[in-house]
Amino acid sequence: MARNSSFVHPLWRHRELIYRLAERDVLGRYRGSLVGWLWTFMHPLAMLAIYTFVFSQVFKARWSSAGAPQGPLEFAINLFAGLIVFNLASECITRSPLLIPANPNFVKKIIFPLEILSAVNLASSLVHALTSLFVLMIFEILAYGSVQLTVLWLPVVWLPLILLSLSVSWILSAIGVYFRDLGQLSGVFMSALLFLSPIFFPLSALPARWQPFLALNPLSFLIEQTRVVVVSGHAPSFRMLLLVVLMTGLAAELSYRFFMRMKPGFADVI
């Protein structure tokens, strides 16, 4: 394959292999467990219950919408929508530094396209995110009797999220070959980012002087836009989305080229 080809080319060319490896990864996580695939539903529900209880009952937090605080039910729905976005990025990013060291057999096979491992990682994380989204849809139906039709805009909203996660995964997977502590650092970083993202509160709830700083977090815009289409029932901000898609697309291209430049040295280290 030409080294100067776009990042889209290897992903499309090896789409069947990506699908098979992602399927193996998802099924392999629950092999031997008692409830198996049900863990994909149970885990997000358990975290939702814990976070909702702690923040809405212990800390008495309320979700503020248009200046009017809303109750625990609205808090849980908005919280879950934010968690789905964060967990997709977090799962993909925290696993990235070990993608290459965990697959030494692939490294030794010259013909194996190591660059698709990040796509496999992303696809596996996306499966769990979509499962959580399905749970959220059921929760909305039980609470409100219907689902917002604007949820159909979600693929557009999540496109930059996918590109961003793929970009970071390529960078971390390449550096992780040479710097093994990166896996621990990425876990700490994502734990901090959990509370620096508008997950437990809307961005508008912050004092005006702090909002620009939190907006620097790339997940902030994507979390807010996800709530707009999934919970609020409004169309996304297309102008900003177009800008973010262009930026994350450029980031994905540069990250892919960085990975390909680092790739020839993997075998010597592994």
Side-chain angles (χ1 to χ4, degrees):
M1 187 194 320
R3 190 179 289 257
N4 59 353
S5 63
S6 169
F7 74 94
V8 177
H9 179 70
L11 301 185
W12 176 255
R13 180 184 180 186
H14 301 289
R15 59 190 182 280
E16 181 66 23
L17 180 58
I18 292 173
Y19 172 80
R20 295 301 178 187
L21 290 176
E23 180 183 39
R24 188 188 70 171
D25 181 67
V26 171
L27 296 178
R29 295 192 193 188
Y30 308 106
R31 186 176 294 116
S33 65
L34 293 177
V35 295
W37 181 258
L38 287 178
W39 276 116
T40 59
F41 294 94
M42 294 170 59
H43 183 265
L45 284 176
M47 297 308 298
L48 172 63
I50 293 171
Y51 282 132
T52 301
F53 174 76
V54 171
F55 284 92
S56 68
Q57 301 302 314
V58 178
F59 292 113
K60 303 298 181 182
R62 292 294 183 270
W63 201 268
S64 297
S65 178
Q70 299 177 347
L73 182 61
E74 291 77 11
F75 183 91
I77 291 175
N78 282 280
L79 169 62
F80 199 22
L83 276 176
I84 292 173
V85 175
F86 177 83
N87 287 340
L88 170 58
S90 178
E91 182 179 350
C92 185
I93 290 172
T94 53
R95 296 181 67 197
S96 294
L98 296 178
L99 282 180
I100 307 301
N103 295 281
N105 292 333
F106 290 160
V107 178
K108 297 175 183 178
K109 295 179 180 179
I110 301 177
I111 62 172
F112 186 85
L114 292 174
E115 57 274 14
I116 71 168
L117 290 179
S118 290
V120 172
N121 182 31
L122 173 61
S124 176
S125 302
L126 192 59
V127 168
H128 292 88
L130 293 176
T131 304
S132 297
L133 182 65
F134 177 72
V135 173
L136 178 60
M137 295 298 99
I138 295 177
F139 198 53
E140 283 194 348
I141 292 174
L142 294 177
Y144 305 125
S146 63
V147 174
Q148 301 288 357
L149 290 178
T150 49
V151 72
L152 297 175
W153 286 114
L154 196 59
V156 178
V157 174
W158 277 14
L159 177 58
L161 174 63
I162 291 172
L163 292 172
L164 176 65
S165 300
L166 190 60
S167 303
V168 177
S169 182
W170 268 323
I171 293 176
L172 294 184
S173 61
I175 298 177
V177 175
Y178 304 94
F179 183 51
R180 299 300 175 88
D181 291 335
L182 189 59
Q184 303 299 325
L185 292 175
S186 62
V188 173
F189 174 77
M190 293 308 299
S191 296
L193 196 63
L194 174 66
F195 296 98
L196 296 176
S197 301
I199 297 174
F200 307 103
F201 52 86
L203 192 60
S204 58
L206 288 177
R209 67 178 183 275
W210 295 114
Q211 291 185 23
F213 293 99
L214 197 65
L216 294 175
N217 174 1
L219 291 181
S220 295
F221 174 76
L222 300 175
I223 290 172
E224 291 283 293
Q225 289 298 298
T226 297
R227 290 195 180 110
V228 165
V229 300
V230 175
V231 182
S232 302
H234 300 301
S237 175
F238 293 107
R239 182 176 299 179
M240 280 298 299
L241 270 177
L242 177 60
L243 177 61
V244 175
V245 167
L246 292 176
M247 293 175 61
T248 52
L250 177 61
E253 184 63 38
L254 295 176
S255 301
Y256 168 72
R257 293 180 182 275
F258 172 78
F259 181 92
M260 296 303 291
R261 183 175 292 271
M262 301 285 284
K263 179 181 175 180
F266 292 167
D268 295 332
V269 178
I270 299 298

